Amino acid sequence: MKPESAPPPWIELERLLEQARQTELEAFLETLSPRELALCVSRLDDDRRARLLAAIGPDDAAAVVEQIPEVQAVDAIEMIEPETAAAILHELHDADRVDLLSDMEHGVAEAILDAMTDEEAETTRALRDYAKDVAGGLMTREYLSFVDSMTVDDLLADLRANASNYRDYVVQYIFVTLPDGRLTGVLRLHDLLFAAPSRTIRELMIPNPLSLRGDASLNDVRTFFDRHPLYGVPVVDDQERLIGMIRRAAMNEALTDRSDAAFLKTQGIVGGEELRSMPILQRSRRRLAWLSVNIALNVVAASVIAMHQETLAAVIALAVFLPIISDMSGCSGNQAVAVSMRELSLGLLRPSEVGRVWLKEVSVGWINGLALGGLLALVAWAWKGNPYLGLVAGAALMLNTVVAVSIGGTVPLLLRRLGMDPALASGPILTTVTDVCGFLLLLGIASAMLPLLT
């Protein structure tokens, strides 16, 4: 007799949750890998997800929150009591806590902040004032800093006395400040542990440490870590007072999030992250906002074909080359879009440099256009035995490749100058222009040379 297969883990999670067995529930969660945990919790509905976070301890709940998508974590935390939510958020890193609260409804977020300790709420509110993509929005307040006059013996005594409070802090570095809070040095743990107890940390520190301002952009943070192989960097205000620290891991996570968001936008997913656990109507509405625009743009391209029905009827072989020219030109244009978006994100390109970008892209466009157009011309000639058909198809692809890279390279810059999102709008503009121009070039040249094609 064939043994019954074990139920999927999310079914077991639902069973334990319904039976309200907290001890077994926490033990079961510990058996799951991070990937399995994310899968199981994401399969729960909003109500069960909120009940799960409320049923287990704050430590375990925080571990769950760290694994699931942020949008699911926000929805779940909004549904539980503020005191319980505050206890869960207390276990998270400062930046993660701020990100979740920033995405919540204002009233809910304030209720949770009111349930926190005064010190934690003040820190969280201060961090929330920064945008997510600047140094202040990436930094954490969980680091160690001491005034430069403190002795080694006093510092070690403080570490021992507050071991439980410091256990989750970043301790690769100890920052040294002046009495007014200005950053003056960095102390290595090796130097601290092997120094005489009576020495001051001012004598042991590395003076004039590298730092970033709170308003430094994500690109500036990335450039810093590219140049300096450090675990973290201190963040200071305009008066050089220490206000936080950025971990390299936090920077990498922010870059990944930005890349994911840009990719979704280029694929027509607007309005933020989309998961299949979201309400169907909400997902449909977001997608239709993009698709309805695209169908209107495609009608414009189709009208060009309708204008040349007689040419198509006379030389039906031209219909074969319409999608080829459209697709190949679109690919060339998308390459140009990708390069412009990349250079803009790295700060290597200013939106005002439209002319420079156009000249660079036109040079590549002519070379690639000649190569691709020549290849297509040979294929068309070999297929129908008519060199003029090859000339028409090849010329249309060559010229449209130049048009495509020109549009793809410059449109992101123009959109950025107009305050629009290049990742969201570049695709439809590029597709429409390349389709219209490609169809016009192919059918227009064919119409002019119609006696030689029939």
Side-chain angles (χ1 to χ4, degrees):
M1 185 176 179
K2 186 178 180 180
E4 293 186 14
S5 59
W10 57 87
I11 299 298
E12 177 66 10
L13 179 59
E14 286 185 4
R15 184 184 69 82
L16 294 173
L17 187 59
E18 293 300 328
Q19 295 177 358
R21 298 182 180 181
Q22 179 178 352
T23 302
E24 293 182 35
L25 190 58
E26 292 176 349
F28 175 73
L29 293 175
E30 291 178 359
T31 66
L32 301 176
S33 68
R35 184 178 292 273
E36 290 174 328
L37 179 61
L39 173 63
C40 292
V41 177
S42 294
R43 292 294 178 91
L44 301 176
D45 58 31
D46 291 341
D47 180 64
R48 285 193 176 96
R49 202 175 294 125
R51 285 165 52 197
L52 172 65
L53 296 182
I56 57 181
D59 279 343
D60 292 321
V64 170
V65 167
E66 289 176 339
Q67 296 302 325
I68 62 178
E70 187 173 295
V71 63
Q72 291 183 344
V74 168
D75 290 342
I77 293 174
E78 284 183 329
M79 296 175 66
I80 61 182
E81 293 297 322
E83 293 75 14
T84 305
I88 296 171
L89 294 181
H90 172 75
E91 302 298 329
L92 300 174
H93 288 295
D94 288 342
D96 295 333
R97 182 188 314 124
V98 171
D99 287 345
L100 292 172
L101 286 169
S102 298
D103 290 338
M104 294 181 190
E105 294 183 7
H106 179 75
V108 176
E110 288 301 316
I112 295 174
L113 286 168
D114 290 340
M116 295 179 178
T117 63
D118 292 341
E119 181 180 358
E120 187 173 49
E122 181 182 356
T123 296
T124 303
R125 285 191 170 98
L127 293 174
R128 199 171 54 165
D129 290 338
Y130 291 98
K132 289 185 178 182
D133 58 351
V134 301
L138 300 173
M139 70 183 182
T140 178
R141 295 286 184 92
E142 296 170 343
Y143 58 86
L144 298 177
S145 68
F146 300 92
V147 294
D148 62 343
S149 59
M150 181 174 283
T151 65
V152 170
D153 192 37
D154 290 339
L155 196 157
L156 291 174
D158 182 274
L159 294 179
R160 286 190 293 268
N162 294 282
S164 60
N165 295 329
Y166 296 157
R167 64 186 176 89
D168 293 326
Y169 280 24
V170 177
V171 294
Q172 275 76 6
Y173 312 100
I174 293 178
F175 299 116
V176 183
T177 63
L178 298 173
D180 61 2
R182 284 181 293 157
L183 179 67
T184 187
V186 175
L187 179 62
R188 296 180 297 190
L189 292 181
H190 177 274
D191 296 336
L192 172 69
L193 294 175
F194 295 100
S198 60
R199 297 188 68 181
T200 63
I201 60 176
R202 183 191 307 112
E203 302 173 68
L204 305 173
M205 72 180 188
I206 300 172
N208 304 316
L210 299 169
S211 64
L212 288 171
R213 293 292 179 89
D215 58 358
S217 69
L218 179 56
N219 291 331
D220 293 334
V221 176
R222 174 171 51 189
T223 300
F224 177 91
F225 279 112
D226 286 344
R227 293 176 178 173
H228 307 288
L230 301 175
Y231 177 85
V233 56
V235 182
V236 297
D237 63 13
D238 294 339
Q239 285 74 46
E240 299 298 328
R241 292 175 299 198
L242 181 65
I243 58 174
M245 172 189 178
I246 301 176
R247 297 173 294 124
R248 181 182 289 270
M251 181 267 298
N252 289 333
E253 183 178 348
L255 289 173
T256 300
D257 290 344
R258 185 172 72 176
S259 177
D260 290 345
F263 174 75
L264 289 175
K265 289 178 180 178
T266 60
Q267 301 306 306
I269 304 298
V270 299
E273 186 174 19
E274 178 182 325
L275 299 171
R276 290 188 172 88
S277 59
M278 292 177 173
I280 293 176
L281 290 179
Q282 179 186 9
R283 294 173 56 214
S284 175
R285 185 170 60 252
R286 287 181 173 184
R287 294 192 184 188
L288 284 174
W290 170 274
L291 295 173
S292 57
V293 173
N294 271 265
I295 194 171
L297 296 176
N298 276 283
V299 168
V300 175
S303 65
V304 175
I305 299 176
M307 292 166 54
H308 294 82
Q309 292 183 67
E310 295 181 1
T311 301
L312 274 174
V315 188
I316 195 63
L318 291 171
V320 174
F321 298 103
L322 288 174
I324 296 176
I325 292 173
S326 173
D327 182 66
M328 291 304 302
S329 301
C331 289
S332 297
N334 281 323
Q335 290 176 331
V337 169
V339 174
S340 289
M341 293 294 296
R342 177 65 172 165
E343 290 187 335
L344 283 171
S345 68
L346 292 175
L348 304 178
L349 186 64
R350 293 191 297 266
S352 60
E353 297 181 282
V354 175
R356 172 179 171 273
V357 169
W358 180 74
L359 289 174
K360 295 283 187 180
E361 287 298 334
V362 164
S363 302
V364 174
W366 277 117
I367 296 172
N368 290 355
L370 283 168
L372 295 173
L375 182 59
L376 185 61
L378 290 175
V379 170
W381 185 2
W383 177 40
K384 288 296 183 179
N386 187 335
Y388 297 107
L389 179 63
L391 178 63
V392 170
L397 179 56
M398 177 189 67
L399 295 173
N400 207 41
T401 298
V402 177
V403 172
V405 297
S406 299
I407 297 298
T410 58
V411 162
L413 280 69
L414 295 171
L415 292 173
R416 180 64 61 85
R417 291 182 68 178
L418 295 172
M420 300 174 64
D421 190 341
L424 183 60
S426 296
I429 294 174
L430 173 67
T431 300
T432 303
V433 173
T434 54
D435 284 355
V436 170
C437 288
F439 298 161
L440 276 174
L441 286 167
L442 178 66
L443 298 175
I445 296 173
S447 296
M449 299 178 60
L450 192 57
L452 299 174
L453 300 176
T454 56

